[in-house]
Amino acid sequence: MMKPALVISSLILMAAPALAATAEQRGTPAQAKAMLDKAVSYYKAHGREQALAAFTGKKSPFAARDLYVFCIGSDHKLVANGGFHEFIGQSADILKDSAGKSVGEAGWEIAMKQREGQLHYQWLNPTTHLIEPKVSYFARAGSDVCGVGAYDPGK
Protein backbone atom coordinates (compact mmCIF):
# COMPACT_ATOMS: atom_id res chain seq x y z
CA MET A 1 0.00 0.00 0.00
CA MET A 2 1.38 3.42 -0.96
CA LYS A 3 1.80 6.13 1.67
CA PRO A 4 -0.14 9.41 1.12
CA ALA A 5 3.03 11.48 0.74
CA LEU A 6 4.33 9.02 -1.85
CA VAL A 7 1.03 9.18 -3.72
CA ILE A 8 1.08 12.98 -3.85
CA SER A 9 4.76 13.03 -4.84
CA SER A 10 4.07 10.51 -7.60
CA LEU A 11 1.16 12.58 -8.87
CA ILE A 12 3.37 15.66 -9.09
CA LEU A 13 6.13 13.85 -10.96
CA MET A 14 3.76 12.23 -13.43
CA ALA A 15 2.04 15.53 -14.06
CA ALA A 16 5.29 17.34 -14.90
CA PRO A 17 4.50 17.45 -18.64
CA ALA A 18 1.34 19.37 -17.75
CA LEU A 19 3.26 22.15 -16.02
CA ALA A 20 2.91 24.37 -19.06
CA ALA A 21 -0.87 23.93 -19.20
CA THR A 22 -2.81 27.10 -19.78
CA ALA A 23 -6.28 27.97 -18.51
CA GLU A 24 -7.72 26.92 -21.89
CA GLN A 25 -6.25 23.45 -21.41
CA ARG A 26 -7.91 22.98 -18.03
CA GLY A 27 -11.37 21.51 -17.63
CA THR A 28 -14.06 23.35 -15.73
CA PRO A 29 -16.29 22.03 -12.96
CA ALA A 30 -19.25 22.05 -15.39
CA GLN A 31 -17.25 19.96 -17.88
CA ALA A 32 -16.26 17.56 -15.10
CA LYS A 33 -19.90 17.07 -14.10
CA ALA A 34 -20.93 16.52 -17.73
CA MET A 35 -18.14 13.96 -18.21
CA LEU A 36 -19.28 12.07 -15.11
CA ASP A 37 -22.87 12.01 -16.38
CA LYS A 38 -21.66 10.53 -19.70
CA ALA A 39 -19.56 7.97 -17.85
CA VAL A 40 -22.45 6.77 -15.67
CA SER A 41 -24.72 6.48 -18.72
CA TYR A 42 -22.03 4.51 -20.55
CA TYR A 43 -21.54 2.22 -17.54
CA LYS A 44 -25.27 1.48 -17.42
CA ALA A 45 -25.51 0.87 -21.17
CA HIS A 46 -22.34 -1.20 -21.68
CA GLY A 47 -21.70 -2.89 -18.35
CA ARG A 48 -18.95 -2.71 -15.79
CA GLU A 49 -16.09 -4.44 -17.63
CA GLN A 50 -16.40 -2.45 -20.84
CA ALA A 51 -16.96 0.82 -18.97
CA LEU A 52 -13.93 0.47 -16.69
CA ALA A 53 -11.75 -0.35 -19.70
CA ALA A 54 -13.10 2.68 -21.59
CA PHE A 55 -12.53 5.00 -18.62
CA THR A 56 -8.96 3.81 -18.16
CA GLY A 57 -8.25 4.17 -21.89
CA LYS A 58 -7.89 7.94 -21.48
CA LYS A 59 -9.86 8.64 -24.65
CA SER A 60 -12.70 11.00 -25.42
CA PRO A 61 -15.35 11.39 -24.09
CA PHE A 62 -13.90 10.05 -20.81
CA ALA A 63 -10.73 12.14 -20.88
CA ALA A 64 -10.27 15.70 -22.09
CA ARG A 65 -7.78 18.36 -21.12
CA ASP A 66 -6.92 17.57 -17.48
CA LEU A 67 -10.25 15.81 -16.81
CA TYR A 68 -10.60 12.03 -16.58
CA VAL A 69 -12.90 9.44 -15.05
CA PHE A 70 -11.84 7.35 -12.06
CA CYS A 71 -13.84 4.64 -10.31
CA ILE A 72 -13.65 3.08 -6.86
CA GLY A 73 -14.74 -0.53 -6.29
CA SER A 74 -16.68 -1.83 -3.29
CA ASP A 75 -13.36 -2.73 -1.60
CA HIS A 76 -12.41 0.98 -1.90
CA LYS A 77 -9.65 0.23 -4.42
CA LEU A 78 -9.35 2.16 -7.66
CA VAL A 79 -10.76 0.00 -10.46
CA ALA A 80 -10.43 2.61 -13.23
CA ASN A 81 -8.34 5.73 -13.56
CA GLY A 82 -8.01 7.58 -16.84
CA GLY A 83 -5.33 9.90 -15.52
CA PHE A 84 -3.09 7.58 -13.54
CA HIS A 85 -3.42 3.98 -14.70
CA GLU A 86 -0.67 2.90 -12.29
CA PHE A 87 -2.92 3.63 -9.29
CA ILE A 88 -5.47 0.99 -10.27
CA GLY A 89 -5.61 -1.55 -7.47
CA GLN A 90 -4.50 0.97 -4.83
CA SER A 91 -6.77 2.06 -2.00
CA ALA A 92 -8.65 5.26 -2.84
CA ASP A 93 -8.87 5.95 0.90
CA ILE A 94 -5.18 6.94 1.09
CA LEU A 95 -5.71 9.91 -1.24
CA LYS A 96 -5.97 12.75 1.26
CA ASP A 97 -6.54 16.45 0.79
CA SER A 98 -4.36 19.16 2.30
CA ALA A 99 -6.29 18.87 5.60
CA GLY A 100 -5.68 15.11 5.79
CA LYS A 101 -9.25 14.09 4.91
CA SER A 102 -9.63 11.04 2.65
CA VAL A 103 -11.09 12.21 -0.66
CA GLY A 104 -11.75 8.62 -1.77
CA GLU A 105 -13.60 7.73 1.41
CA ALA A 106 -15.62 10.97 1.39
CA GLY A 107 -16.55 10.51 -2.28
CA TRP A 108 -17.63 6.91 -1.61
CA GLU A 109 -19.85 8.05 1.28
CA ILE A 110 -21.45 10.81 -0.77
CA ALA A 111 -22.34 8.47 -3.62
CA MET A 112 -23.58 5.68 -1.35
CA LYS A 113 -25.82 7.97 0.69
CA GLN A 114 -27.05 10.34 -2.04
CA ARG A 115 -26.40 8.35 -5.27
CA GLU A 116 -24.45 11.39 -6.49
CA GLY A 117 -22.95 14.58 -5.15
CA GLN A 118 -19.90 16.78 -5.02
CA LEU A 119 -16.97 17.25 -2.73
CA HIS A 120 -15.05 20.51 -2.34
CA TYR A 121 -11.53 20.28 -0.97
CA GLN A 122 -8.04 21.72 -1.25
CA TRP A 123 -5.62 19.78 -3.49
CA LEU A 124 -2.14 20.31 -4.85
CA ASN A 125 -2.43 21.53 -8.43
CA PRO A 126 0.49 20.07 -10.41
CA THR A 127 0.25 22.93 -12.90
CA THR A 128 0.66 25.79 -10.43
CA HIS A 129 2.34 23.91 -7.55
CA LEU A 130 -0.18 25.56 -5.24
CA ILE A 131 -2.85 24.10 -3.00
CA GLU A 132 -6.05 25.14 -4.78
CA PRO A 133 -9.78 24.60 -4.43
CA LYS A 134 -10.96 21.52 -6.28
CA VAL A 135 -14.37 19.98 -6.75
CA SER A 136 -14.96 16.34 -7.57
CA TYR A 137 -18.30 14.96 -8.63
CA PHE A 138 -19.14 11.41 -7.54
CA ALA A 139 -21.94 9.07 -8.61
CA ARG A 140 -22.89 5.44 -8.12
CA ALA A 141 -22.43 3.26 -11.17
CA GLY A 142 -23.44 -0.32 -10.48
CA SER A 143 -21.40 -1.53 -7.51
CA ASP A 144 -18.76 1.16 -8.10
CA VAL A 145 -18.47 4.86 -7.39
CA CYS A 146 -17.11 6.94 -10.25
CA GLY A 147 -15.89 10.49 -10.22
CA VAL A 148 -14.39 13.36 -12.18
CA GLY A 149 -12.68 16.36 -10.57
CA ALA A 150 -11.68 19.85 -11.68
CA TYR A 151 -9.82 22.72 -10.10
CA ASP A 152 -12.19 25.49 -9.18
CA PRO A 153 -10.16 28.69 -8.83
CA GLY A 154 -13.38 30.71 -8.48
CA LYS A 155 -14.05 29.23 -5.04
Side-chain angles (χ1 to χ4, degrees):
M1 183 158 74
M2 296 180 83
K3 302 253 186 256
L6 179 59
V7 171
I8 292 173
S9 297
S10 297
L11 290 171
I12 294 168
L13 290 173
M14 289 183 299
L19 293 177
T22 65
E24 296 83 34
Q25 294 170 316
R26 291 172 56 174
T28 66
Q31 291 167 332
K33 175 66 170 103
M35 183 180 287
L36 178 60
D37 292 343
K38 287 178 189 171
V40 171
S41 293
Y42 187 89
Y43 188 111
K44 290 177 182 175
H46 298 278
R48 183 178 196 260
E49 187 176 326
Q50 189 173 347
L52 297 180
F55 302 157
T56 299
K58 199 170 186 173
K59 295 179 184 172
S60 184
F62 306 119
R65 298 182 190 85
D66 61 347
L67 303 178
Y68 57 88
V69 178
F70 59 88
C71 296
I72 304 167
S74 60
D75 60 358
H76 285 229
K77 290 185 178 180
L78 288 165
V79 293
N81 191 315
F84 301 97
H85 182 271
E86 54 278 358
F87 290 122
I88 294 173
Q90 297 294 319
S91 173
D93 295 344
I94 65 170
L95 299 173
K96 299 183 187 260
D97 69 8
S98 63
K101 184 176 181 180
S102 172
V103 174
E105 185 178 354
W108 180 268
E109 291 299 317
I110 287 168
M112 286 294 119
K113 290 179 182 173
Q114 304 170 16
R115 295 208 57 82
E116 66 178 49
Q118 58 185 280
L119 178 66
H120 294 268
Y121 54 100
Q122 299 290 312
W123 195 257
L124 179 65
N125 183 327
T127 302
T128 65
H129 297 285
L130 299 172
I131 302 292
E132 294 183 11
K134 188 168 185 175
V135 59
S136 285
Y137 299 93
F138 293 90
R140 285 178 68 179
S143 61
D144 301 311
V145 168
C146 295
V148 179
Y151 289 94
D152 194 7
K155 292 284 177 185

